[in-house]
Amino acid sequence: MKPTPFEPLPEVAPLRRALREIVRALGALERGQPELGLTDSQAHALAAIERGVELTTGELAALLRLDKSTASRVVAELVRGGLVAAGEPGDDRRRKPLRLTAKGRARVAGVHERADRQVHEALAPLGEAERRLAVEGVTLYARALDRLERRRAFEVRPIARRDDAAVAAIIRAVMTEFGASGPGFAIHDSEVDAMYDAYRPPGAGYFVLEREGRVTGGAGFGPLGGGDAGVCELRKMYFLPETRGLGLGQIVLERVQQAAAAAGYHTMYLETLGTMKQARKLYEAAGFRKLGGPLGSTGHFGCDAWYAKALGGPAAAAAEGGEAQAAASRARGGRKAGARARAASSAQPKKA
Amino acid sequence: MKPTPFEPLPEVAPLRRALREIVRALGALERGQPELGLTDSQAHALAAIERGVELTTGELAALLRLDKSTASRVVAELVRGGLVAAGEPGDDRRRKPLRLTAKGRARVAGVHERADRQVHEALAPLGEAERRLAVEGVTLYARALDRLERRRAFEVRPIARRDDAAVAAIIRAVMTEFGASGPGFAIHDSEVDAMYDAYRPPGAGYFVLEREGRVTGGAGFGPLGGGDAGVCELRKMYFLPETRGLGLGQIVLERVQQAAAAAGYHTMYLETLGTMKQARKLYEAAGFRKLGGPLGSTGHFGCDAWYAKALGGPAAAAAEGGEAQAAASRARGGRKAGARARAASSAQPKKA
DNA sequence: GAAGATTGAAACCTCAATCTTT
DNA sequence: AAAGATTGAGGTTTCAATCTTC
């Protein structure tokens, strides 16, 4: 079976070309620091030890994305050369914090001089505007890659009964954080402590976000009380602070929409607060349209902003005809687990 | 002796940080293509063979910036796996052009799918403007690195007698290329065939640009006929087409200015044509100011644009006081050979 | 002799197993 | 048993020497 057909963004091809060039050129230019008598890893390790305080070999490995065995050997060689010394073992004698010797500090200055000159020489012929553009663009992509890597640590899956306590704790923590704990807010819904039962399919569903076995957020859907039977409500989308800003909101939201479409709904509706700007940005980026007033009767009179979106399922096709947005979502939704991130801007909690 | 103190551009530090992140993240994300059963080098090699026509192992090595021995082993492994086949040895039986088998083409499609998805997933959460910024910035820096790498193949050195024939040929070729071969142009100066003798210090100097033993351009200075004794003229700056666009003009120009300042001149003057836009851009970027008319009497009445610049030497300090531009030039000029590029935009021939 | 390619030795890196301390 | 670090085996890459063809 072939992997899901998939339409890369138009920016992907030129960016890949440019990145290939950069990685190779850097590799070729940086290769070996013969005049300094250091391998690349040694030079990187020295710089990392200089930056970090009380860095241990294991932490160094993580920083340099090297295997800890490699880090161990690199450090051993640097110690042998008198550039690095293992500090006092403190309380915990397993830890051996690393520090630079005077000789090591002198050498790392040479490493920086060389690297600075390298980058400087590449940039110098450019005009100031071009230099700024280069820095901004490269920085932007570096951040995007970092977020991608951190997103990959998360998985989205349907809620299980054992998640009930964790999910309830998250809902209460986030609503309290946002001061949405008074009457008319979802924190008082009786279902909070029994989400697994409250959102059992068909007609409803709840998904949690998990990292290393720990649940850190979730979102679900269910029928819209007092409304059209073809309309569902996006409900209880909450993320712990550590989860935000990685683009996970979009991913969870896509998963929920996909499940709602499969359950036969043609439209998704949601209620939130005008003051929750980041959450509203997420909804708008996902294709939700702002409404002039509420739909149905959810009892959440604390809310003051309402959104809706046509879903890309068969029901929506029958009711409205699929939009491009919905079609794209459907095409991408088919991949295994959806654990791999591939969309979304920043995520914020929603009250509902 | 310490290397020359040197003040990196303000963009250098943030760019280095971002590049470090990108290289590490790409390394971590790309590492191993286990599901495809290929090493990184194998995957890159397949992609390169797909792109190139009649690629040989040696060319592949250059493209991938790998040692030819590595390329040889990588290719051998791909052939063993039935992904690549060595084509017909044509006329020259030393060459073994590589091509993909059907199986290889299928596999490389998987490689691209994977890489596209990678980049797509990183970009998707960004807005369109941010995506464009990332692509432009990264592309810009990739080009800057490429130019840097190609500049490094060149060296600037004083002219030797054995260069006379090559330099004369370059001057005639470039002037003819630009249609500046009529009367009133420097192509008719008697010195063209004996540049070494004509530009012997003190009071004059000529520098050539050399790559792999072949001279590809040059520029020099000498006293300005009929002018102030403290003013010199920039003379006979010409580059073969293959040399242009790498930022070498700025480097040669700096070297000439440095030598002129050391020879006791306080000002450098030059004559060119208004139609030579790229050359004029270079002069302006180097700090030359446009004049309203000619200085001295060079006999080059074909010229219609005149520039001058105060040099950063002791004579200039006495005459005018050093400018920031001149001071920066002096600070950087001290490095060995100046063969390493570190300034300049595109280079174009000048008539003088 | 030179260009294209291959082979042998050594360096660097990773995976897996092991050692030490908590 | 778990956390931190080291050691042994094997893969990938480079440098240098060699082979083949022009």
Side-chain angles (χ1 to χ4, degrees):
Chain A
M1 209 170 80
K2 290 186 59 173
T4 314
F6 130 97
E7 189 60 41
L9 287 162
E11 289 89 355
V12 167
L15 188 53
R16 271 188 66 197
R17 259 196 304 278
L19 287 169
R20 190 166 54 221
E21 260 316 302
I22 288 184
V23 170
R24 291 207 188 123
L26 286 179
L29 289 166
E30 190 178 277
R31 185 161 300 155
Q33 318 237 350
E35 57 269 43
L36 292 167
L38 295 172
T39 66
D40 290 358
S41 290
Q42 287 173 345
H44 291 158
L46 279 182
I49 294 170
E50 182 195 34
R51 273 195 305 278
V53 278
E54 294 281 300
L55 208 58
T56 67
T57 304
E59 289 156 2
L60 182 66
L63 237 78
L64 266 48
R65 311 280 213 288
L66 288 174
D67 191 84
K68 60 186 172 151
S69 62
T70 308
S72 176
R73 282 183 245 259
V74 167
V75 168
E77 188 59 29
L78 290 174
V79 170
R80 217 179 56 75
L83 301 173
V84 166
E88 309 289 295
D91 297 348
D92 187 339
R93 275 189 305 182
R94 289 175 306 184
R95 294 175 61 88
K96 298 184 187 169
L98 303 170
R99 57 180 179 73
L100 294 183
T101 63
K103 190 175 165 191
R105 269 190 297 278
R107 195 72 65 89
V108 81
V111 171
H112 282 138
E113 157 94 16
R114 192 190 141 97
D116 279 345
R117 202 180 285 280
Q118 180 77 41
V119 176
H120 177 92
E121 287 180 16
L123 286 183
L126 304 179
E128 196 187 326
E130 285 181 315
R131 291 201 299 265
R132 202 175 42 231
L133 179 59
V135 172
E136 282 177 11
V138 172
T139 304
L140 195 57
Y141 190 62
R143 268 206 303 271
L145 278 180
D146 179 60
R147 283 200 297 263
L148 169 60
E149 218 182 338
R150 293 199 283 155
R151 278 204 297 277
R152 293 231 166 135
F154 288 89
E155 193 186 357
V156 181
R157 60 166 174 80
I159 191 170
R161 191 183 292 282
R162 66 175 187 282
D163 301 318
D164 272 355
V167 171
I170 291 169
I171 294 174
R172 296 215 164 86
V174 174
M175 296 220 86
T176 304
E177 175 190 353
F178 280 80
S181 49
F185 287 107
I187 194 171
H188 301 291
D189 295 354
S190 59
E191 66 191 35
V192 167
D193 285 299
M195 295 289 287
Y196 174 73
D197 281 326
Y199 285 83
R200 276 169 105 144
Y206 198 86
F207 296 88
V208 296
L209 201 54
E210 185 182 54
R211 178 177 60 180
E212 290 164 18
R214 213 168 78 82
V215 173
T216 62
F221 69 97
L224 173 61
D228 176 347
V231 179
C232 67
E233 186 191 3
L234 175 67
R235 295 219 202 121
K236 295 195 167 51
M237 179 148 163
Y238 298 101
F239 300 110
L240 290 181
E242 63 191 86
T243 312
R244 299 171 199 164
L246 300 180
L248 286 162
Q250 202 73 265
I251 291 170
V252 174
L253 192 49
E254 274 189 18
R255 182 69 178 273
V256 172
Q257 290 174 67
Q258 178 196 343
Y265 293 106
H266 60 70
T267 300
M268 179 169 279
Y269 165 79
L270 70 88
E271 304 179 330
T272 184
L273 280 174
T275 55
M276 289 186 167
K277 282 196 177 175
Q278 290 218 40
R280 283 172 39 227
K281 217 177 106 187
L282 165 62
Y283 301 135
E284 283 162 19
F288 280 82
R289 301 284 163 74
K290 201 163 189 200
L291 304 179
L295 255 52
S297 55
T298 62
H300 297 144
F301 52 81
C303 295
D304 60 3
W306 310 272
Y307 288 85
K309 175 185 173 181
L311 296 172
E320 269 205 72
E323 299 177 12
Q325 172 74 31
S329 162
R330 192 172 47 222
R332 294 189 299 206
R335 270 188 85 228
K336 180 191 168 196
R340 295 260 154 102
R342 89 195 58 102
S345 72
S346 87
Q348 276 298 62
K350 163 193 172 291
K351 62 169 302 305
Chain B
M1 210 171 82
K2 288 189 59 173
T4 314
F6 129 98
E7 190 59 42
L9 286 162
E11 290 89 355
V12 167
L15 188 54
R16 271 189 65 197
R17 260 196 302 278
L19 288 169
R20 191 166 54 223
E21 258 318 300
I22 288 184
V23 170
R24 291 209 187 122
L26 286 180
L29 290 166
E30 191 178 276
R31 184 160 300 155
Q33 317 236 352
E35 56 269 44
L36 292 166
L38 295 172
T39 66
D40 290 357
S41 290
Q42 287 173 348
H44 291 157
L46 280 182
I49 293 170
E50 182 194 35
R51 273 195 305 278
V53 278
E54 295 279 301
L55 208 59
T56 67
T57 304
E59 290 156 2
L60 182 66
L63 237 79
L64 266 48
R65 310 278 212 292
L66 287 175
D67 190 85
K68 58 185 174 154
S69 63
T70 309
S72 175
R73 283 184 243 258
V74 167
V75 168
E77 188 60 28
L78 290 173
V79 170
R80 216 179 57 76
L83 301 173
V84 167
E88 310 289 295
D91 298 347
D92 187 339
R93 275 190 306 182
R94 288 175 307 183
R95 292 174 61 89
K96 298 186 189 169
L98 303 170
R99 57 179 180 73
L100 295 183
T101 62
K103 190 175 166 191
R105 269 190 297 279
R107 195 72 67 89
V108 82
V111 171
H112 283 137
E113 156 93 16
R114 192 190 141 98
D116 279 345
R117 201 180 285 280
Q118 180 79 41
V119 176
H120 177 92
E121 288 181 16
L123 286 183
L126 303 179
E128 197 188 327
E130 286 182 314
R131 291 200 300 264
R132 202 173 44 230
L133 179 59
V135 172
E136 283 177 9
V138 172
T139 305
L140 195 56
Y141 191 61
R143 267 206 304 271
L145 278 181
D146 178 59
R147 282 200 298 263
L148 169 60
E149 220 182 337
R150 293 198 284 155
R151 277 203 299 276
R152 293 234 165 134
F154 289 90
E155 195 187 353
V156 181
R157 59 167 175 80
I159 191 171
R161 193 182 292 282
R162 67 175 187 282
D163 301 318
D164 271 354
V167 171
I170 292 168
I171 294 174
R172 297 215 165 83
V174 174
M175 295 221 86
T176 305
E177 174 191 353
F178 280 81
S181 49
F185 286 107
I187 194 171
H188 301 291
D189 295 353
S190 57
E191 66 191 36
V192 167
D193 286 299
M195 296 289 287
Y196 174 73
D197 281 326
Y199 285 83
R200 276 171 104 147
Y206 198 86
F207 296 88
V208 296
L209 203 53
E210 186 183 53
R211 179 176 60 180
E212 290 163 18
R214 213 168 79 81
V215 173
T216 61
F221 70 97
L224 174 61
D228 176 347
V231 179
C232 67
E233 187 191 3
L234 175 67
R235 293 218 203 121
K236 294 197 168 50
M237 179 149 162
Y238 299 101
F239 299 110
L240 291 182
E242 63 192 84
T243 312
R244 299 171 199 164
L246 300 180
L248 286 163
Q250 201 73 265
I251 290 170
V252 174
L253 194 48
E254 274 188 18
R255 183 69 177 273
V256 172
Q257 289 174 67
Q258 181 196 341
Y265 293 105
H266 61 69
T267 300
M268 179 169 278
Y269 165 79
L270 70 88
E271 304 180 329
T272 184
L273 280 174
T275 54
M276 290 187 167
K277 282 197 175 175
Q278 290 217 40
R280 282 173 41 226
K281 217 177 108 187
L282 165 61
Y283 301 135
E284 284 161 17
F288 280 81
R289 302 283 162 75
K290 200 161 191 204
L291 304 179
L295 256 51
S297 55
T298 62
H300 297 147
F301 52 80
C303 294
D304 60 3
W306 310 273
Y307 288 85
K309 175 184 173 180
L311 295 172
E320 268 205 72
E323 298 177 12
Q325 171 75 29
S329 162
R330 193 172 46 226
R332 294 186 300 206
R335 270 187 83 231
K336 180 191 168 194
R340 295 261 156 99
R342 89 195 60 101
S345 72
S346 85
Q348 275 298 64
K350 161 192 174 292
K351 60 168 304 306

